Amino acid sequence: MNDVPTLNPAIVLVRPQLGENIGKAARAMLNFGLTDLRLVAPRDGWPNPDAGPAASGADEVLANARVYATVQEAVADCRHIYATTVRKRDLWKPVVTPEAAAVAMRARGFQQAVLFGAERSGLETEEVAIAQDILTVPVNPAFTSLNLAQAVLLVAYEWHKAADTTPAVVTDYEPPADHATLEGLIVQVDAALDDAGYYHVPSRVAAAKRTLRNLLTKPGYNGGEIRTLRGMVHAIVAGRRGNRPRD
Amino acid sequence: MNDVPTLNPAIVLVRPQLGENIGKAARAMLNFGLTDLRLVAPRDGWPNPDAGPAASGADEVLANARVYATVQEAVADCRHIYATTVRKRDLWKPVVTPEAAAVAMRARGFQQAVLFGAERSGLETEEVAIAQDILTVPVNPAFTSLNLAQAVLLVAYEWHKAADTTPAVVTDYEPPADHATLEGLIVQVDAALDDAGYYHVPSRVAAAKRTLRNLLTKPGYNGGEIRTLRGMVHAIVAGRRGNRPRD
């Protein structure tokens, strides 16, 4: 996250129908650090008893949600507004991906909003006109039915990701063992194989030893793993020799 | 999308509890082009009557879902396996983001799988051990409760995005008008202001004209917009002159 907190964009649900979906949207928001939920003319009024259970603990988002009669009132303090729609409604506005919107919103830093339409009908053309940009999630063209909370989730996810410093790959466990340790394992297995008569065709010994070395080199085992493997090899060798402990 | 189709990764739900969540996961998969759903020991058996309605049309994914008794059987044909978990279970595996996993899976092109645990309990440590990598969605550390279908959605979204060619910003509408067209608007508005007596302080005329030019230059209006604006200016000027059409 940035040291200086960016004003989190408002998530504006326009005429949402089901309280359950409002709750799920709140949960998706809080999963990714968004808390400013605004409701425009929710069909069943507000508060809605179905929202809380669906929010699964994102109660603070619901408790702080504000209700407005119109989109214009809901975004009165916002200086850049996105309208989320899968359909191209207005050919005179840029159409951006959630990722591009997130990066742009992070760069601006002033109050912004993302509008989401009702579950079935989406945003009215007049509501899309209030926005500067259209936000469209690229989906499988053969199956575009993205539900309300999922759309909110993806926008919130990209918002979080745009400032997230999690490395793409974390490998903060024990690094590969040093070569002397690996060599110790190779020597031990080699001796066990030799002892067992594995190298019985003289012309193939060199190739077999090279193969053994490659097999044990490939995984990049760390010190703990090599200690465990050496213990296992020792147990098998000892067992074969008839030294297995009695049950 | 690639010309040569990549084998889509299998989405493996391990001991899922609610049919509704299986249906939502199927919907999230199909939204982003994934169709290979595998269920390990679903709590309420399979098929589950609650799955279909929640899939909202992703019926083909449910119809083709395969059921297995164990994770091992479900991933028998998979050559690289991710275990999705928010908790660090095994310090000896790389932990990757959904984006990094998607990019890596696209690059491999052979059969792969992503495991998701049960709604509350997640994956068992023994099941995580089956995977090569751990997949963790970076979330708000203060609110990490991501539900099953949401986790599937984010993995599927990144998979789709890794090969998606949608431009970040699409502005395929009419480009800004050429300068002669813009100049025509400026001249018209300038004349209307002059006619209305707006330039009545001689010392400020040059600055006022410059401001007018800047105001009309900033938006990058296209030809259609400028035609509309010229019509509006004409209407206001005509109306002020008493030429307004009678009601």
Side-chain angles (χ1 to χ4, degrees):
Chain A
M1 289 292 184
N2 298 335
D3 290 327
V4 180
T6 306
L7 271 176
N8 287 351
I11 298 296
V12 184
L13 306 186
V14 182
R15 289 170 280 103
Q17 298 178 340
L18 299 176
E20 185 190 349
N21 287 336
I22 299 171
K24 287 178 179 170
R27 178 183 185 175
M29 287 171 61
L30 194 57
N31 277 144
F32 296 107
L34 296 182
T35 54
D36 185 352
L37 175 61
R38 307 182 185 190
L39 307 174
V40 175
R43 186 188 68 183
D44 299 334
W46 191 255
N48 182 318
D50 295 336
S56 300
D59 303 310
E60 62 180 275
V61 176
L62 295 178
N64 293 322
R66 285 171 283 178
V67 180
Y68 301 87
T70 65
V71 175
Q72 279 88 340
E73 293 169 79
V75 298
D77 62 329
C78 299
R79 295 164 197 277
H80 197 100
I81 299 154
Y82 291 88
T84 306
T85 170
V86 287
R87 282 156 292 183
K88 214 176 248 188
R89 305 292 194 103
D90 181 333
L91 294 176
W92 289 4
K93 289 186 198 298
V95 179
V96 305
T97 62
E99 180 179 15
V103 171
M105 287 194 290
R106 289 273 180 191
R108 289 192 197 100
F110 48 64
Q111 183 66 61
Q112 296 165 88
V114 185
L115 310 180
F116 295 84
E119 282 89 340
R120 290 179 184 284
S121 53
L123 292 169
E124 301 289 339
T125 307
E126 287 70 21
E127 291 159 349
V128 174
I130 292 168
Q132 276 77 26
D133 294 328
I134 291 173
L135 192 161
T136 298
V137 180
V139 289
N140 174 6
F143 188 68
T144 60
S145 104
L146 202 62
N147 84 7
L148 178 56
Q150 287 174 323
V152 171
L153 178 75
L154 294 174
V155 167
Y157 168 75
E158 288 286 8
W159 164 260
H160 182 264
K161 197 176 154 187
D164 186 42
T165 55
T166 305
V169 180
V170 177
T171 51
D172 59 355
Y173 42 79
E174 195 180 342
D178 60 33
H179 186 73
T181 304
L182 173 62
E183 196 71 28
L185 172 66
I186 293 171
V187 166
Q188 181 193 13
V189 177
D190 179 67
L193 289 171
D194 196 15
D195 192 48
Y198 182 79
Y199 300 126
H200 61 93
V201 182
S203 65
R204 294 190 193 150
V205 170
K209 285 175 179 278
R210 209 160 47 235
T211 298
L212 169 66
R213 176 174 294 279
N214 283 329
L215 286 171
L216 294 176
T217 299
K218 183 173 182 180
Y221 288 129
N222 61 41
E225 290 167 330
I226 287 184
R227 276 191 299 279
T228 303
L229 278 166
R230 293 195 64 157
M232 290 175 171
V233 172
H234 179 78
I236 292 170
V237 168
R240 188 169 50 73
R241 283 187 183 140
N243 298 336
R244 185 161 20 167
R246 298 175 184 274
D247 294 322
Chain B
M1 290 290 184
N2 297 335
D3 291 326
V4 180
T6 307
L7 272 176
N8 288 351
I11 298 296
V12 184
L13 306 186
V14 182
R15 289 169 279 104
Q17 298 178 341
L18 298 177
E20 186 189 348
N21 287 337
I22 300 171
K24 286 178 180 170
R27 178 183 185 175
M29 288 171 62
L30 194 56
N31 278 143
F32 296 107
L34 296 182
T35 54
D36 186 353
L37 176 61
R38 307 182 185 190
L39 306 174
V40 175
R43 187 189 68 185
D44 299 334
W46 190 257
N48 183 318
D50 295 335
S56 301
D59 303 310
E60 62 180 276
V61 176
L62 296 178
N64 293 322
R66 283 172 284 179
V67 181
Y68 302 87
T70 66
V71 176
Q72 278 87 341
E73 292 169 80
V75 298
D77 62 328
C78 299
R79 295 163 196 277
H80 196 100
I81 299 154
Y82 292 87
T84 306
T85 171
V86 288
R87 282 157 292 184
K88 216 177 248 188
R89 304 291 195 104
D90 180 332
L91 294 176
W92 289 3
K93 290 187 199 296
V95 179
V96 304
T97 62
E99 180 178 16
V103 170
M105 287 195 290
R106 288 274 180 190
R108 291 193 194 99
F110 49 64
Q111 183 64 61
Q112 296 164 90
V114 185
L115 311 180
F116 295 84
E119 283 89 340
R120 290 181 184 283
S121 53
L123 292 169
E124 301 289 338
T125 307
E126 286 71 20
E127 293 159 347
V128 174
I130 293 169
Q132 276 77 27
D133 294 328
I134 291 173
L135 192 160
T136 298
V137 179
V139 290
N140 173 7
F143 188 70
T144 60
S145 104
L146 202 61
N147 83 8
L148 178 56
Q150 286 174 324
V152 171
L153 178 75
L154 294 175
V155 168
Y157 168 75
E158 289 287 7
W159 164 261
H160 181 265
K161 196 175 154 187
D164 185 42
T165 55
T166 304
V169 180
V170 177
T171 51
D172 59 355
Y173 41 78
E174 194 181 343
D178 60 34
H179 185 72
T181 304
L182 174 61
E183 195 71 29
L185 173 65
I186 294 171
V187 167
Q188 181 193 13
V189 176
D190 178 68
L193 289 171
D194 196 16
D195 192 47
Y198 183 79
Y199 299 125
H200 61 92
V201 182
S203 65
R204 294 188 194 152
V205 170
K209 283 174 182 279
R210 208 159 49 235
T211 299
L212 169 65
R213 177 173 294 279
N214 283 332
L215 286 171
L216 294 176
T217 299
K218 183 174 181 179
Y221 288 129
N222 61 40
E225 290 167 331
I226 288 185
R227 277 191 298 280
T228 302
L229 279 167
R230 293 196 64 159
M232 289 175 171
V233 172
H234 180 77
I236 292 170
V237 168
R240 188 170 49 73
R241 284 185 180 141
N243 296 336
R244 183 162 23 167
R246 297 175 183 275
D247 293 321

